Amino acid sequence: MKSRAAARSEDLVDQPGGGGLPGRLGDELRAELIAFRRDLHMHPELGNQEFRTTAAIKDRLEKAGLRPRVLDVGTGLVCDVGEWDGVTPMLALRADIDALPIPDTKVDVPYRSTVPDRAHACGHDVHTTTVLGAGLVLAGLHRQGLLPNAVRLVFQPAEEVLPGGAVDAIESGVLEGVGRIIAVHCDPKVDAGKIGLRVGPITSACDRLEISLDGPGGHTARPHLTTDLVTAAARVAVDVPALLARRVDARSGLVLTWGRLQTGHAPNVVPQHAELSGTVRCLDLAAWRDAPDLVHAAIDEVAGMHRAKTVINYVRGVPPVVNDAESIGLLDAAMTERRGSYAIEDTEQSLGGEDFSWYLERVPGAMARLGVRPPGDTRGLDLHRGNFDVDEEAITVGVELFTAAALLAGRS
């Protein structure tokens, strides 16, 4: 399999590939998949609660003559296209199916979420639809005798719930017989019709941090006689990230960012309790392993200066997604076949976390950035915002990328 560098060194023609592979998406299935994605978008479900979503995927796969199996946790599915021979390693295509606990703020689309404070604001509905569509196309190719090897579809729940539903999926056996796994993630900074590729780490480690600070409380007229807990919480919020920035190599990208700080109920009362919560993100695997001890020490040091007692709950999340070079070569070759090398661009490592990393602890694989921005769009949409939406051309791109990858992997 050629690497990105090798492919470029051959000066591939910057126009859509000649179409030597079957498996392009027909108009009828394209329309069905867009409708399927919109239905998911209207009915978002949180992690480990994706019962309707699971049933919809299962029903469509069964109508195609496939035999999906619901995962042991009760949501999510695994399904093979073709019969695994028990020897040849399979390629797996992974999608995550859960939504986010935020409101959908779009007002100009008919498929806006119908569930209060729930939205597919990270593109998991698109991920799900692309893997489903690929499965349907590959099933058709299998019936025609055109699928070289069996391919596994993995529809994983609870990606947004640390340490991630990938852990449960792996325990359910989704990687048995799998030799390589690939996935896409929507990227609103990349135009629809294109993908972003990167060898090595493409996401960051992500952990969750929860802190409780306690003191005796008192009157704001006499803060010197008690623990000024509001000031202590404020100093922890400001000084701990600053300390960490000086205690780890800046190239590790270790960042603590707060999402919540809560304390106090009255203007003249020094409270007895404060809470902070946030995330610790890290670009470097070695620094991620050291992060819990570093964070604990920094919190205790700052809180101790203000005589606040601390209870720290450091929740391990996910390591970085580290893309295997050969898997990136497969995605590169697949996209070049479908759309030409002009449709591939390099992408940067982000500080976002992704539990796809747990699969890559077991088997080689890669995640591509799937462009979802309408060309020329200047709205600056981002993930995890209530107005997030996609150019649905990305569904066609994702399906054809996956099907080409499956066919090329079977030939190698």
Side-chain angles (χ1 to χ4, degrees):
M1 195 64 61
K2 299 181 180 67
S3 67
R4 292 273 293 136
R8 286 180 171 177
S9 69
E10 295 178 2
D11 195 23
L12 294 172
V13 178
D14 287 336
Q15 59 184 10
L21 291 179
R24 291 189 177 274
L25 195 58
D27 291 340
E28 184 176 346
L29 182 54
R30 180 184 292 108
E32 179 190 349
L33 293 176
I34 289 173
F36 189 90
R37 177 258 168 175
R38 292 184 177 188
D39 180 72
L40 295 186
H41 201 85
M42 293 174 66
H43 301 92
E45 297 174 299
L46 299 184
N48 295 315
Q49 301 173 24
E50 312 96 332
F51 298 104
R52 183 186 185 277
T53 303
T54 297
I57 300 167
K58 183 173 182 289
D59 179 67
R60 186 61 185 90
L61 291 172
E62 289 176 341
K63 286 181 178 177
L66 300 172
R67 298 190 298 275
R69 172 176 67 86
V70 177
L71 301 183
D72 297 344
V73 292
T75 60
L77 309 96
V78 60
C79 180
D80 289 351
V81 181
E83 297 294 331
W84 181 44
D85 62 13
V87 177
T88 308
M90 285 184 287
L91 177 71
L93 315 178
R94 176 268 198 171
D96 38 9
I97 67 175
D98 57 324
L100 286 162
I102 63 175
D104 189 337
T105 60
K106 297 187 295 296
V107 297
D108 57 348
V109 297
Y111 49 85
R112 180 182 178 184
S113 172
T114 61
V115 184
D117 299 320
R118 302 286 185 268
H120 269 295
C122 201
H124 293 189
D125 53 337
V126 175
H127 306 166
T128 300
T129 303
T130 58
V131 172
L132 173 66
L136 298 178
V137 172
L138 292 172
L141 294 176
H142 176 62
R143 288 192 293 271
Q144 300 173 56
L146 298 176
L147 184 64
N149 294 324
V151 176
R152 177 159 294 166
L153 315 177
V154 177
F155 298 92
Q156 174 216 301
E159 190 276 329
E160 300 286 354
V161 181
L162 292 179
V167 175
D168 292 327
I170 292 169
E171 290 179 356
S172 291
V174 300
L175 291 182
E176 181 183 353
V178 169
R180 189 178 308 280
I181 187 167
I182 57 175
V184 295
H185 197 295
C186 291
D187 190 338
K189 300 184 296 298
V190 177
D191 284 349
K194 296 185 176 184
I195 62 169
L197 297 179
R198 175 186 174 88
V199 175
I202 191 173
T203 69
S204 301
C206 179
D207 299 334
R208 187 173 73 243
L209 178 63
E210 299 167 345
I211 307 171
S212 294
L213 302 177
D214 290 285
H219 200 296
T220 56
R222 293 176 289 278
H224 59 291
L225 298 181
T226 186
T227 296
D228 185 351
L229 209 62
V230 173
T231 297
R235 295 318 313 179
V236 166
V238 173
D239 292 346
V240 170
L243 273 177
L244 291 172
R246 291 296 177 267
R247 293 182 177 176
V248 296
D249 190 325
R251 291 171 296 181
S252 70
L254 181 66
V255 177
L256 167 58
T257 305
W258 304 109
R260 185 177 72 94
L261 192 163
Q262 183 174 339
T263 186
H265 299 284
N268 60 343
V269 177
V270 176
Q272 296 176 294
H273 184 72
E275 296 179 355
L276 299 92
S277 58
T279 59
V280 178
R281 300 177 186 271
C282 189
L283 300 174
D284 179 70
L285 188 59
W288 177 66
R289 292 182 175 130
D290 294 336
D293 291 340
L294 290 167
V295 171
H296 273 76
I299 293 169
D300 287 340
E301 183 174 332
V302 174
M305 292 173 59
H306 298 272
R307 298 178 294 178
K309 297 180 180 179
T310 61
V311 176
I312 302 170
N313 181 26
Y314 193 106
V315 182
R316 268 308 203 189
V318 295
V321 171
V322 181
N323 284 340
D324 164 69
E326 187 171 351
S327 301
I328 287 295
L330 174 63
L331 289 167
D332 188 305
M335 192 63 174
T336 299
E337 172 70 28
R338 292 303 194 202
R339 301 251 167 170
S341 62
Y342 84 97
I344 304 167
E345 58 185 56
D346 292 325
T347 192
E348 298 178 345
Q349 183 180 8
S350 80
L351 279 168
E354 235 290 351
D355 75 351
F356 185 68
S357 55
W358 292 123
Y359 300 106
L360 303 190
E361 296 278 301
R362 307 291 187 94
V363 297
M367 171 174 281
R369 304 284 190 202
L370 179 65
V372 297
R373 178 178 62 194
D377 193 307
T378 59
R379 289 176 294 171
L381 299 182
D382 201 1
L383 303 173
H384 289 217
R385 290 184 181 175
N387 65 344
F388 176 75
D389 204 356
V390 305
D391 184 328
E392 290 171 325
E393 171 65 13
I395 295 171
T396 298
V397 175
V399 170
E400 295 191 349
L401 175 70
F402 281 141
T403 55
L407 293 170
L408 291 173
R411 294 178 178 180
S412 61

Coordinates of all heavy atoms in Angstrom, one line a residue, residues 117-168:
D117 N -33.2 19.5 24.0 CA -31.9 19.5 24.6 C -31.1 18.2 24.1 O -30.2 17.7 24.8 CB -31.9 19.5 26.1 CG -32.6 20.8 26.6 OD1 -32.3 21.8 26.1 OD2 -33.3 20.7 27.6
R118 N -31.4 17.8 22.9 CA -30.6 16.7 22.3 C -30.4 17.0 20.8 O -31.2 17.5 20.1 CB -31.4 15.4 22.4 CG -31.8 14.9 23.8 CD -30.6 14.4 24.5 NE -31.0 13.9 25.8 CZ -31.0 14.6 27.0 NH1 -30.7 15.9 26.9 NH2 -31.4 14.0 28.1
A119 N -29.1 16.8 20.4 CA -28.8 17.1 19.0 C -27.6 16.3 18.5 O -26.7 15.9 19.3 CB -28.4 18.6 18.9
H120 N -27.7 16.0 17.2 CA -26.6 15.3 16.5 C -25.6 16.5 16.1 O -25.6 16.8 14.9 CB -27.0 14.5 15.3 CG -27.3 13.1 15.7 ND1 -26.3 12.2 16.1 CD2 -28.4 12.3 15.7 CE1 -26.8 11.0 16.4 NE2 -28.1 11.1 16.1
A121 N -24.9 17.0 17.0 CA -24.1 18.2 16.8 C -22.6 17.8 16.6 O -21.8 18.7 16.7 CB -24.2 19.2 17.9
C122 N -22.4 16.5 16.4 CA -21.0 16.1 16.1 C -20.9 15.3 14.9 O -19.8 14.8 14.5 CB -20.5 15.3 17.3 SG -18.7 15.2 17.4
G123 N -22.0 15.1 14.2 CA -22.0 14.4 12.9 C -22.1 12.9 13.0 O -21.9 12.2 12.0
H124 N -22.4 12.3 14.2 CA -22.5 10.9 14.3 C -23.6 10.3 13.4 O -23.6 9.2 13.0 CB -22.8 10.5 15.7 CG -21.6 10.8 16.6 ND1 -21.5 10.3 18.0 CD2 -20.5 11.5 16.4 CE1 -20.4 10.8 18.5 NE2 -19.7 11.5 17.6
D125 N -24.7 11.1 13.1 CA -25.7 10.7 12.2 C -25.1 10.4 10.8 O -25.5 9.5 10.1 CB -26.9 11.7 12.2 CG -26.4 13.1 11.9 OD1 -25.3 13.4 12.2 OD2 -27.3 13.9 11.4
V126 N -24.2 11.3 10.4 CA -23.5 11.1 9.1 C -22.6 9.9 9.2 O -22.6 9.1 8.2 CB -22.7 12.4 8.8 CG1 -21.9 12.2 7.5 CG2 -23.7 13.6 8.6
H127 N -21.8 9.7 10.2 CA -21.0 8.6 10.4 C -21.8 7.3 10.2 O -21.4 6.3 9.5 CB -20.2 8.6 11.7 CG -19.5 9.8 12.0 ND1 -19.0 10.1 13.3 CD2 -19.1 10.9 11.2 CE1 -18.4 11.3 13.3 NE2 -18.5 11.8 12.0
T128 N -22.9 7.2 10.9 CA -23.7 6.1 10.9 C -24.3 5.8 9.5 O -24.3 4.6 9.0 CB -24.9 6.2 11.9 OG1 -24.4 6.4 13.2 CG2 -25.9 5.1 11.9
T129 N -24.7 6.8 8.9 CA -25.3 6.7 7.5 C -24.3 6.2 6.5 O -24.6 5.4 5.6 CB -26.0 8.0 7.1 OG1 -26.9 8.4 8.1 CG2 -26.7 7.9 5.8
T130 N -23.1 6.7 6.6 CA -22.0 6.3 5.6 C -21.7 4.8 5.8 O -21.5 4.1 4.8 CB -20.8 7.2 5.8 OG1 -20.2 7.1 7.1 CG2 -21.1 8.6 5.4
V131 N -21.6 4.4 7.0 CA -21.2 3.0 7.2 C -22.4 2.1 6.8 O -22.3 1.0 6.2 CB -20.8 2.7 8.7 CG1 -20.7 1.2 8.9 CG2 -19.5 3.4 9.0
L132 N -23.6 2.5 7.1 CA -24.8 1.8 6.7 C -24.8 1.7 5.2 O -25.0 0.6 4.6 CB -26.1 2.4 7.2 CG -27.4 1.9 6.7 CD1 -27.6 0.4 7.1 CD2 -28.6 2.8 7.1
G133 N -24.6 2.9 4.5 CA -24.7 2.9 3.1 C -23.6 2.0 2.5 O -23.8 1.3 1.5
A134 N -22.4 2.1 3.1 CA -21.3 1.2 2.6 C -21.7 -0.3 2.7 O -21.5 -1.1 1.8 CB -20.0 1.5 3.3
G135 N -22.3 -0.6 3.8 CA -22.8 -2.0 4.0 C -23.8 -2.5 3.0 O -23.7 -3.6 2.5
L136 N -24.7 -1.6 2.7 CA -25.7 -1.9 1.7 C -25.1 -2.1 0.3 O -25.4 -3.0 -0.5 CB -26.8 -0.8 1.6 CG -27.6 -0.6 2.9 CD1 -28.6 0.5 2.7 CD2 -28.3 -1.9 3.3
V137 N -24.2 -1.2 -0.1 CA -23.5 -1.3 -1.4 C -22.6 -2.6 -1.4 O -22.7 -3.4 -2.4 CB -22.6 -0.1 -1.6 CG1 -21.8 -0.3 -2.9 CG2 -23.5 1.2 -1.8
L138 N -21.9 -2.8 -0.4 CA -21.0 -4.0 -0.3 C -21.9 -5.3 -0.3 O -21.4 -6.3 -0.9 CB -20.1 -4.0 0.9 CG -19.1 -2.9 0.9 CD1 -18.4 -2.8 2.3 CD2 -18.0 -3.1 -0.2
A139 N -23.0 -5.3 0.3 CA -23.9 -6.5 0.3 C -24.3 -6.8 -1.2 O -24.4 -7.9 -1.6 CB -25.1 -6.2 1.2
G140 N -24.6 -5.7 -1.9 CA -25.0 -5.9 -3.3 C -23.8 -6.5 -4.1 O -24.0 -7.3 -5.0
L141 N -22.6 -6.0 -3.9 CA -21.4 -6.5 -4.6 C -21.2 -7.9 -4.2 O -20.8 -8.7 -5.0 CB -20.2 -5.6 -4.2 CG -20.3 -4.2 -4.7 CD1 -19.0 -3.4 -4.3 CD2 -20.4 -4.1 -6.3
H142 N -21.4 -8.3 -2.9 CA -21.2 -9.7 -2.5 C -22.2 -10.6 -3.2 O -21.8 -11.7 -3.7 CB -21.5 -9.8 -1.0 CG -21.4 -11.2 -0.5 ND1 -20.3 -11.9 -0.5 CD2 -22.3 -11.9 0.2 CE1 -20.5 -13.1 0.0 NE2 -21.7 -13.1 0.4
R143 N -23.4 -10.2 -3.4 CA -24.4 -11.0 -4.1 C -23.9 -11.2 -5.6 O -24.3 -12.2 -6.2 CB -25.8 -10.4 -4.1 CG -26.4 -10.4 -2.7 CD -27.9 -10.0 -2.8 NE -28.1 -8.6 -3.1 CZ -28.1 -7.6 -2.2 NH1 -28.0 -7.9 -0.9 NH2 -28.3 -6.4 -2.6
Q144 N -23.2 -10.3 -6.1 CA -22.7 -10.4 -7.5 C -21.3 -11.1 -7.6 O -20.8 -11.2 -8.7 CB -22.6 -9.0 -8.1 CG -23.9 -8.2 -8.2 CD -23.6 -6.8 -8.6 OE1 -23.0 -6.6 -9.7 NE2 -24.0 -5.8 -7.8
G145 N -20.8 -11.5 -6.4 CA -19.5 -12.2 -6.4 C -18.3 -11.2 -6.6 O -17.3 -11.6 -7.0
L146 N -18.6 -9.9 -6.2 CA -17.5 -8.9 -6.5 C -16.8 -8.4 -5.2 O -16.0 -7.5 -5.3 CB -18.1 -7.7 -7.2 CG -18.7 -8.0 -8.6 CD1 -19.4 -6.7 -9.1 CD2 -17.7 -8.5 -9.5
L147 N -17.2 -9.0 -4.1 CA -16.5 -8.6 -2.8 C -15.5 -9.6 -2.5 O -15.8 -10.8 -2.1 CB -17.6 -8.5 -1.7 CG -17.1 -8.1 -0.3 CD1 -16.6 -6.6 -0.4 CD2 -18.2 -8.2 0.7
P148 N -14.2 -9.3 -2.5 CA -13.1 -10.2 -2.3 C -13.1 -10.9 -0.9 O -12.9 -12.1 -0.8 CB -11.8 -9.4 -2.5 CG -12.3 -8.2 -3.2 CD -13.7 -7.9 -2.8
N149 N -13.3 -10.1 0.1 CA -13.3 -10.6 1.5 C -14.4 -10.1 2.3 O -15.0 -9.0 2.0 CB -12.0 -10.2 2.2 CG -10.7 -10.9 1.6 OD1 -10.8 -12.1 1.1 ND2 -9.6 -10.2 1.5
A150 N -14.8 -10.7 3.4 CA -15.8 -10.3 4.2 C -15.4 -8.9 4.9 O -14.2 -8.7 5.1 CB -16.1 -11.3 5.3
V151 N -16.4 -8.1 5.1 CA -16.2 -6.8 5.7 C -17.1 -6.7 7.0 O -18.2 -7.1 6.9 CB -16.5 -5.6 4.8 CG1 -16.3 -4.3 5.4 CG2 -15.5 -5.7 3.5
R152 N -16.6 -6.1 8.0 CA -17.4 -6.0 9.3 C -17.8 -4.6 9.5 O -17.0 -3.6 9.3 CB -16.6 -6.5 10.5 CG -17.3 -6.3 11.8 CD -16.8 -7.2 12.9 NE -17.0 -8.6 12.5 CZ -16.4 -9.6 13.2 NH1 -15.6 -9.4 14.1 NH2 -16.7 -10.8 12.8
L153 N -19.1 -4.4 9.8 CA -19.7 -3.1 10.1 C -19.8 -3.0 11.6 O -20.4 -3.9 12.2 CB -21.0 -2.9 9.4 CG -21.2 -3.3 8.0 CD1 -22.6 -3.2 7.5 CD2 -20.2 -2.5 7.1
V154 N -19.3 -1.9 12.2 CA -19.4 -1.7 13.6 C -20.1 -0.4 13.9 O -19.7 0.7 13.5 CB -18.0 -1.7 14.3 CG1 -18.2 -1.4 15.8 CG2 -17.3 -3.0 14.0
F155 N -21.3 -0.5 14.5 CA -22.1 0.6 14.9 C -22.0 0.8 16.4 O -22.7 0.0 17.1 CB -23.6 0.5 14.4 CG -23.7 0.4 12.9 CD1 -23.7 -0.8 12.3 CD2 -23.8 1.6 12.1 CE1 -23.9 -0.9 10.9 CE2 -24.0 1.5 10.8 CZ -24.0 0.2 10.1
Q156 N -21.2 1.6 16.8 CA -20.8 1.7 18.3 C -21.6 2.8 19.0 O -21.7 3.9 18.6 CB -19.3 2.0 18.3 CG -18.8 2.2 19.7 CD -17.8 3.3 19.8 OE1 -16.7 3.1 19.2 NE2 -18.0 4.3 20.6
P157 N -22.1 2.4 20.2 CA -22.8 3.4 21.0 C -21.8 4.2 21.9 O -20.6 3.9 22.0 CB -23.7 2.5 21.9 CG -22.9 1.3 22.1 CD -22.2 1.0 20.8
A158 N -22.3 5.3 22.5 CA -21.7 6.0 23.6 C -20.3 6.5 23.4 O -19.5 6.4 24.2 CB -21.7 5.0 24.8
E159 N -20.0 7.0 22.2 CA -18.7 7.6 21.9 C -18.5 8.8 22.8 O -17.3 9.1 23.2 CB -18.5 7.9 20.5 CG -17.1 8.3 20.1 CD -16.8 9.8 20.4 OE1 -17.7 10.6 20.3 OE2 -15.6 10.1 20.6
E160 N -19.5 9.5 23.1 CA -19.4 10.7 23.9 C -19.4 10.5 25.4 O -19.3 11.4 26.2 CB -20.6 11.7 23.6 CG -20.7 12.1 22.2 CD -19.7 13.1 21.7 OE1 -18.9 13.6 22.6 OE2 -19.6 13.4 20.5
V161 N -19.4 9.2 25.8 CA -19.4 8.9 27.3 C -18.0 8.3 27.6 O -17.7 7.2 27.2 CB -20.5 7.9 27.6 CG1 -20.5 7.6 29.1 CG2 -21.9 8.5 27.2
L162 N -17.2 9.0 28.4 CA -15.9 8.5 28.8 C -16.1 7.2 29.6 O -17.0 7.1 30.5 CB -15.1 9.5 29.6 CG -14.7 10.7 28.8 CD1 -14.0 11.7 29.8 CD2 -13.8 10.4 27.7
P163 N -15.2 6.2 29.4 CA -14.1 6.1 28.5 C -14.4 5.7 27.1 O -13.6 5.4 26.3 CB -13.2 5.1 29.2 CG -14.1 4.1 29.8 CD -15.2 5.0 30.3
G164 N -15.7 5.8 26.8 CA -16.2 5.5 25.4 C -16.8 4.1 25.2 O -16.3 3.1 25.8
G165 N -17.8 4.1 24.4 CA -18.5 2.8 24.1 C -17.7 1.9 23.3 O -18.0 0.7 23.2
A166 N -16.5 2.3 22.8 CA -15.6 1.4 22.1 C -15.1 0.3 23.0 O -14.9 -0.9 22.6 CB -14.4 2.2 21.5
V167 N -15.0 0.6 24.3 CA -14.5 -0.4 25.3 C -15.5 -1.5 25.3 O -15.2 -2.7 25.3 CB -14.3 0.2 26.6 CG1 -14.0 -0.8 27.7 CG2 -13.2 1.3 26.6
D168 N -16.8 -1.2 25.4 CA -17.9 -2.2 25.5 C -18.0 -3.0 24.2 O -18.2 -4.2 24.2 CB -19.2 -1.6 25.8 CG -19.3 -1.0 27.2 OD1 -18.6 -1.6 28.1 OD2 -19.9 0.0 27.4

